[in-house]
Amino acid sequence: MLDATTRSGGTATASPRAAATELAVTVPVVAAAVAPVPPLVRLGRLLLSPWARFSLLVALLAGAGASVLLFQPQKLLADGWPPQLGGATAAVVFAVAYGVVTVAFVPRPLLNLAAGALFGSALGLGVSLAGTVLGAGLAFGLGRVLGQDALRPLLRGRLLKAADGQLSRHGMRSMLAARLFPGLPFWGVNYCAAVSRMGWTSFLVATALGSVPNTAAYVVAGARASSPTSPVFLIALAAIALPTVAGAVVAWRKRHHFRGR
């Protein structure tokens, strides 16, 4: 609105409030335009989300476990697979197959016995260790890529935080102890380490070194299974049994400590 004409006959002028209101009306408000997200981009984000990747990991492991129960690949390896191969080629194929099936929860002791029976003590130990490191690396990689982002926020309990801190800060020492300690499942240690912040080098080196004693005992037992009364076979059995008994005793004595935590 315009103010009334001044009493002295001057021209009419706009008041400051009216001028501001008129300016506010004349200047359009520009809203920020938000571009719609394409469907393929939304689908990609959904498939790459932490819980989608973790679901894929669970599905892969469930399928692998079902395949082991159905096809029993450890029997194929124990018979020498594939049967037409021999020498170094057979050893390489066995090591690769060893690594793959350990990801699918095939027990390593059976594979170590088979390696000793098929390739002897020296070559069998090398094949088994190569398969062990390969299988551990595959499981660690799957757990790190598909499971770590989803599971790390769930590490809230005292024991879980303590285990994660131990693996993250003292990776080499902790993994070496886990490999030497009998009774801990191979696949379980792999996936627990993958959720932690342990480095690849520490994990693989500690796996290779810590797996030597137990693996060697089973391989030698498999290589000398045809002569079960020989001193070498009996020593191998003792090397298998004594650490197992010692581990059970330690776990029994520490049970109250873990319950108290």
Side-chain angles (χ1 to χ4, degrees), residues 185-198:
F186 180 72
W187 59 270
V189 174
N190 294 336
Y191 292 113
C192 288
V195 176
S196 72
R197 301 190 187 278
M198 178 185 295

Side-chain angles (χ1 to χ4, degrees), residues 97-108 111 131-132 134-136 186-187:
Y98 183 117
V100 173
V101 298
T102 53
V103 179
F105 315 117
V106 173
R108 287 180 57 252
L111 302 177
T132 296
L134 175 61
F186 180 72
W187 59 270

Side-chain angles (χ1 to χ4, degrees), residues 147-165:
Q148 187 187 50
D149 292 340
L151 295 180
R152 280 202 65 82
L154 302 180
L155 300 177
R156 298 175 181 175
R158 189 188 307 177
L159 286 178
L160 293 178
K161 286 184 178 180
D164 175 64

Side-chain angles (χ1 to χ4, degrees), residues 30-196:
V30 181
V34 179
V37 180
L40 291 179
V41 175
R42 291 201 303 268
L43 179 61
R45 291 176 181 175
L46 178 62
L47 293 178
L48 295 177
S49 65
W51 282 104
R53 284 180 285 150
F54 179 68
S55 300
L56 176 60
L57 176 62
V58 173
L60 290 175
L61 295 180
S67 300
V68 169
L69 294 177
L70 183 61
F71 299 107
Q72 297 182 341
Q74 66 274 15
K75 291 185 177 181
L76 297 176
L77 294 178
D79 295 334
W81 180 84
Q84 64 271 19
L85 295 180
T89 304
V92 172
V93 171
F94 186 95
V96 173
Y98 183 117
V100 173
V101 298
T102 53
V103 179
F105 315 117
V106 173
R108 287 180 57 252
L110 297 178
L111 302 177
N112 295 333
L113 291 171
L118 292 173
F119 303 105
S121 299
L123 183 57
L125 178 59
V127 167
S128 296
L129 289 177
T132 296
V133 175
L134 175 61
L138 290 175
F140 187 82
L142 285 174
R144 179 61 56 89
V145 173
L146 299 179
Q148 187 187 50
D149 292 340
L151 295 180
R152 280 202 65 82
L154 302 180
L155 300 177
R156 298 175 181 175
R158 189 188 307 177
L159 286 178
L160 293 178
K161 286 184 178 180
D164 175 64
Q166 184 70 20
L167 289 173
S168 299
R169 291 191 299 268
H170 310 288
M172 178 75 73
R173 183 176 64 190
S174 301
M175 185 53 54
L176 190 62
R179 297 306 187 191
L180 290 172
F181 191 83
L184 295 178
F186 180 72
W187 59 270
V189 174
N190 294 336
Y191 292 113
C192 288
V195 176
S196 72

